[in-house]
Amino acid sequence: MIKLHDKCFKPFISAKEIDAAVSKMAKDLANDLGDEIPVFVGVLNGSFMVVSDFVKKYPKPCEVTFIKLASYEGVKSSEDIQRLIGLTQDLTGRTVVILEDIIDTGKTLQEIHRIFKNEGVKQLLIATLFYKPEAYKKDFKLHYVGIEIPNKFIVGYGLDYDGLGRDMPEVYQIKTTQHMTNLVLFGPPGAGKGTQANFLKEKYNLVHISTGDVFRFNIKNKTALGTLAKSFIDKGELVPDQVTIDMLNAEVEKNTDANGFIFDGFPRTNAQALALDKLMESKDSQINAMIALEVEDEVLVQRLLERGKSSGRADDADESIIRNRIKEYYTKTAILKDYFSAQRKYYGVDGFGSVEAITERLCNAIDKL
Ligand code: IMP
Ligand code: MG
């Protein structure tokens, strides 16, 4: 991920893919043009990089020149007529190929057609490396298109965002969901995860996704995913990660206006952590932190025994069962602590003290993300 001015961009098209597209355009044009010596016309500023690479790959003699379109000074409306800088050469009777970095609405292309109408060229061909079909509003033919892309803003390989990014050899796409806070909440039994998750979701407008709750909800409501999950559970098998991920995906999609998510009970394995990273990436987002409530074993045991007096949960009543659950938690989560530490995303928070004091510590950690 990279940041230019106020916006974040993610890797989108590699230098290798660009190279292949430029090669193909050069080859197709050379085949179609035969022995004709074309004049390639780059439209500045964006096209400088593609033109440079293109002509190096063009296998036959050619001419290269550049033009630039500029708005008349003082005119700022979007419908303004542009004037041309740089066309000094006589193009009468020549085959002219406009080389564009990107065609978006087609407005620039319309100006180019208007300008070249009176040049007496033999033919005017349009070639563009990138093309956004969903954004294109004109009907001028595009003779050569390198790569079709969705209608999202890109930078790199000549293209800029407010002056920056032109120099990058690969292309990045704008990230549409920014400022998301996605947390993985961890803590041994009795650490107060549920209590704290309730505070955090209110304060930060987050959606609390407890995998256990999602499973129970889907199974109870007999959703397709619930039925699938139940078929494994009934056979005494673990629910495959992909089924859980599909459920989480559905939960994330349901809550598009949330500021982020608190994942609780997932991931539990390295593979699940990787799958969750991939899911968040597909949403233009990421896990920001694993927050683990750290509480001494003796305190946990006391808290759970206390809870057992009123909760009626059998596993809260027996001290040796409690100690086993705590031990199991540390054995199972060590792997995840390593996973998130390696990404510098592990935050241990002291879970000893009053509920308010712990909430404050959690908020301090989150506010610093
Ligand atoms: P059009 O006139 O709408 O086709 O767009 C023309 C110009 O807008 C291009 O030459 C670029 O300078 C700019 N542009 C359009 N889309 C993008 C983009 O995704 N990234 C950077 N510049 C863009
Ligand atoms: Mg351009």
Side-chain angles (χ1 to χ4, degrees):
M1 227 213 10
I2 55 158
K3 193 165 183 199
L4 302 175
H5 299 296
D6 57 327
K7 301 230 184 305
C8 294
F9 297 84
K10 59 175 178 175
F12 181 48
I13 304 175
S14 69
K16 213 173 134 194
E17 289 169 276
I18 296 170
D19 190 73
V22 175
S23 296
K24 177 159 191 309
M25 283 169 72
K27 199 174 129 218
D28 289 350
L29 265 145
N31 278 339
D32 294 351
L33 294 183
D35 293 332
E36 190 126 21
I37 295 181
V39 185
F40 292 119
V41 180
V43 185
L44 292 173
N45 291 328
S47 73
F48 75 95
M49 207 176 274
V50 62
V51 172
S52 166
D53 284 346
F54 179 93
V55 295
K56 281 180 272 178
K57 291 173 189 297
Y58 195 74
K60 290 186 265 186
C62 63
E63 292 179 32
V64 194
T65 187
F66 286 93
I67 57 171
K68 186 166 176 146
L69 293 173
S71 300
Y72 283 105
E73 243 156 284
V75 184
K76 273 264 148 48
S77 97
S78 60
E79 287 304 312
D80 61 353
I81 301 227
Q82 308 230 288
R83 97 195 128 91
L84 182 71
I85 307 173
L87 192 60
T88 47
Q89 193 178 345
D90 180 15
L91 294 173
T92 313
R94 301 296 303 272
T95 285
V96 172
V97 183
I98 301 293
L99 277 183
E100 269 283 27
D101 45 338
I102 187 163
I103 291 180
D104 187 65
T105 63
K107 205 173 137 243
T108 310
L109 187 58
Q110 179 172 35
E111 292 300 309
I112 289 169
H113 273 279
R114 188 179 57 76
I115 288 159
F116 277 84
K117 211 167 56 197
N118 303 320
E119 292 295 320
V121 302
K122 181 179 162 200
Q123 59 173 338
L124 183 69
L125 298 172
I126 310 297
T128 185
L129 176 58
F130 300 116
Y131 169 49
K132 296 177 181 168
E134 298 153 25
Y136 191 56
K137 295 201 179 66
K138 310 286 176 195
D139 34 41
F140 303 108
K141 185 172 165 57
L142 309 181
H143 302 86
Y144 301 90
V145 171
I147 303 174
E148 289 194 4
I149 57 170
N151 191 10
K152 283 193 180 176
F153 196 80
I154 58 170
V155 290
Y157 201 73
L159 294 159
D160 72 312
Y161 168 52
D162 201 6
L164 293 180
R166 292 195 197 277
D167 52 322
M168 299 185 295
E170 59 284 295
V171 163
Y172 292 75
Q173 188 184 56
I174 197 157
K175 281 174 68 118
T176 40
T177 42
Q178 293 173 58
H179 320 299
M180 292 269 278
T181 306
N182 300 305
L183 310 173
V184 171
L185 189 60
F186 261 80
K193 256 188 328 168
T195 313
Q196 296 298 338
N198 276 335
F199 281 110
L200 296 180
K201 74 177 191 197
E202 289 299 321
K203 171 151 187 199
Y204 295 99
N205 184 26
L206 305 177
V207 173
H208 179 203
I209 301 184
S210 151
T211 335
D213 291 348
V214 176
F215 269 129
R216 282 185 286 274
F217 177 87
N218 276 279
I219 291 171
K220 189 172 144 235
N221 290 286
K222 300 196 167 63
T223 65
L225 279 169
T227 310
L228 184 62
K230 193 167 180 294
S231 72
F232 291 99
I233 294 170
D234 287 350
K235 277 184 283 181
E237 288 170 20
L238 288 174
V239 177
D241 288 350
Q242 194 53 51
V243 177
T244 313
I245 280 287
D246 289 346
M247 277 196 194
L248 292 179
N249 184 35
E251 290 301 303
V252 172
E253 302 245 291
K254 259 194 254 168
N255 294 287
T256 42
D257 54 346
N259 278 344
F261 298 89
I262 302 174
F263 294 99
D264 176 355
F266 192 92
R268 288 191 196 276
T269 63
N270 231 9
Q272 290 181 349
L274 279 165
L276 183 60
D277 275 348
K278 249 174 84 188
L279 170 67
M280 297 319 284
E281 207 185 301
S282 75
K283 301 277 178 277
D284 275 356
S285 195
Q286 72 278 313
I287 297 293
N288 302 85
M290 172 191 187
I291 300 205
L293 284 169
E294 294 171 340
V295 186
E296 263 178 57
D297 288 7
E298 293 318 308
V299 176
L300 294 173
V301 172
Q302 286 318 310
R303 279 190 195 167
L304 289 172
L305 283 173
E306 197 55 40
R307 187 169 87 181
K309 284 180 194 161
S310 55
S311 77
R313 275 177 63 167
D315 59 349
D316 279 354
D318 184 294
E319 187 172 331
S320 71
I321 294 180
I322 289 175
R323 287 193 189 278
N324 243 331
R325 282 165 60 201
I326 296 171
K327 209 174 112 200
E328 196 185 277
Y329 166 83
Y330 285 111
T331 323
K332 285 208 174 137
T333 54
I335 269 172
L336 292 158
K337 184 174 175 176
D338 292 347
Y339 182 91
F340 287 102
S341 297
Q343 300 183 16
R344 298 170 170 276
K345 287 181 181 171
Y346 178 86
Y347 298 83
V349 171
D350 182 5
F352 182 69
S354 69
V355 171
E356 296 76 29
I358 300 166
T359 309
E360 201 182 314
R361 283 176 217 144
L362 285 168
C363 294
N364 279 340
I366 294 170
D367 292 340
K368 273 191 226 133
L369 290 177

